[in-house]
Amino acid sequence: MGRPGDPVVSVGGLFSYTGRENADDAVGAGVEGSLAWYGQRSFAWIGAVVQAQLVADRPVHERLALGFQGGFGPVGAELSMYTEGAGRSNARTYGAQIVPFIALPIAYAGFRLALPFDGGAGATIPSYGTEYGLVIGLKFPINPRAFGHSLH
């Protein structure tokens, strides 16, 4: 059983279904890893998150994100920077995303809102535009002392 203050390192699968401006809806699958610290006498926690997905689009391409997350017990939010690879009709896109979520011991579900930094300024094709959708995942702790904590 983990102790308050112990870091929780978790890894697992990530699935998303999102709608996007300037592009078709997209399905993504990949992996997510996180590192979280829990307060000494509370359910509050903070941490970092990294994600790597393949997006089933034309052509299949990568979507990568890196950021911070925090919460209180099973309720939390992630704030990340992301990049999504170019598709047939869209330029590589960079932006920020926020994902409020609810996590159970090994599963979580959230709502992704991704905002691009620009509309593909200077590109001959548009960026993906605003993205919104469902993100779900299963993650497991890889450090034995972390068992017993919420794992997102």
Side-chain angles (χ1 to χ4, degrees):
M1 180 82 141
R3 297 182 316 232
D6 285 347
V8 179
V9 179
S10 300
V11 295
L14 170 67
F15 174 81
S16 63
Y17 179 83
T18 55
R20 303 178 294 180
E21 290 180 343
N22 305 329
D24 293 335
D25 292 357
V27 173
V31 295
E32 177 176 293
S34 63
L35 175 63
W37 289 271
Y38 290 78
Q40 293 293 327
R41 291 187 173 79
S42 73
F43 290 107
W45 58 274
I46 60 169
V49 63
V50 62
Q51 300 168 341
Q53 287 186 280
L54 288 178
V55 178
D57 203 352
R58 295 175 296 262
V60 171
H61 59 270
E62 81 286 352
R63 186 180 196 287
L64 308 170
L66 176 66
F68 299 98
Q69 58 183 1
F72 188 80
V75 177
E78 164 196 325
L79 179 59
S80 302
M81 307 305 286
Y82 77 92
T83 182
E84 184 167 345
R88 182 172 49 177
S89 303
N90 299 93
R92 174 170 289 281
T93 302
Y94 298 92
Q97 65 184 22
I98 185 164
V99 183
F101 59 84
I102 295 178
L104 299 174
I106 62 169
Y108 66 92
F111 175 79
R112 179 191 289 161
L113 175 61
L115 303 168
F117 290 142
D118 61 33
T124 58
I125 55 177
S127 70
Y128 290 103
T130 302
E131 178 182 314
Y132 47 89
L134 176 68
V135 179
I136 58 173
L138 291 173
K139 290 197 325 191
F140 302 92
I142 59 171
N143 53 328
R145 295 176 71 181
F147 285 95
H149 285 302
S150 174
L151 301 179
H152 191 78

